Amino acid sequence: QVQLVESGGDSVQAGGSLKLSCTTNGYSGNWKCMAWFRQAPGKPREVVAQLDYQRTTNTATTNYAASVKGRFTASQDNANKVHHLHMTNLSPDDSATYYCAADFVNYESGRCPKEYSYWGQGTQVTVSS
């Protein structure tokens, strides 16, 4: 059974930094399709960083939401099967529950699916002004 587990959420002051981690249990490979989402109370869930793979070129790119570009960086530690989201210059608008999500490359299309099958339970990030 595949499980994703986030950690690293905390309460910080505006301008601070945090590093979130997403660990996978039950799957020994490295995700080619993986994303970080966040959801604040009363707001829709939004993707903040998305690893997108294309089998035809065997390349993966990470795309960021405009609101976090230049401040957030997604990385992966393949040896330890851990994905990270490095967040800097945090503002109160970044306060939310952060989720990691992952899935396998679609066999027919060779691309990442639009919906993810595996989700973590979320980790809370609170940024105070």
Side-chain angles (χ1 to χ4, degrees):
Q1 182 179 359
V2 176
Q3 289 183 322
L4 303 182
V5 180
E6 301 98 338
S7 60
D10 206 344
S11 297
V12 296
Q13 295 283 330
S17 301
L18 280 176
K19 184 176 80 171
L20 305 183
S21 299
C22 177
T23 303
T24 300
N25 299 318
Y27 173 55
S28 60
N30 290 304
W31 296 109
K32 290 183 170 65
C33 304
M34 192 272 174
W36 288 93
F37 290 81
R38 69 184 180 186
Q39 187 166 23
K43 293 187 177 180
R45 186 177 64 198
E46 63 171 336
V47 58
V48 295
Q50 188 169 39
L51 178 66
D52 190 24
Y53 173 81
Q54 295 188 57
R55 190 173 60 206
T56 53
T57 58
N58 194 29
T59 57
T61 56
T62 303
N63 301 306
Y64 297 92
S67 59
V68 306
K69 209 166 188 177
R71 300 188 299 119
F72 289 14
T73 303
S75 66
Q76 55 191 90
D77 178 353
N78 288 334
N80 294 300
K81 316 295 182 189
V82 180
H83 288 259
H84 299 290
L85 184 66
H86 306 260
M87 307 186 294
T88 63
N89 194 22
L90 287 162
S91 76
D93 289 341
D94 296 315
S95 297
T97 300
Y98 284 72
Y99 302 88
C100 61
D103 211 326
F104 300 103
V105 177
N106 182 278
Y107 178 79
E108 292 181 346
S109 68
R111 299 291 302 270
C112 293
K114 295 189 184 302
E115 300 290 335
Y116 293 88
S117 299
Y118 306 103
W119 290 80
Q121 82 289 351
T123 186
Q124 180 67 40
V125 172
T126 303
V127 185
S128 57
S129 58

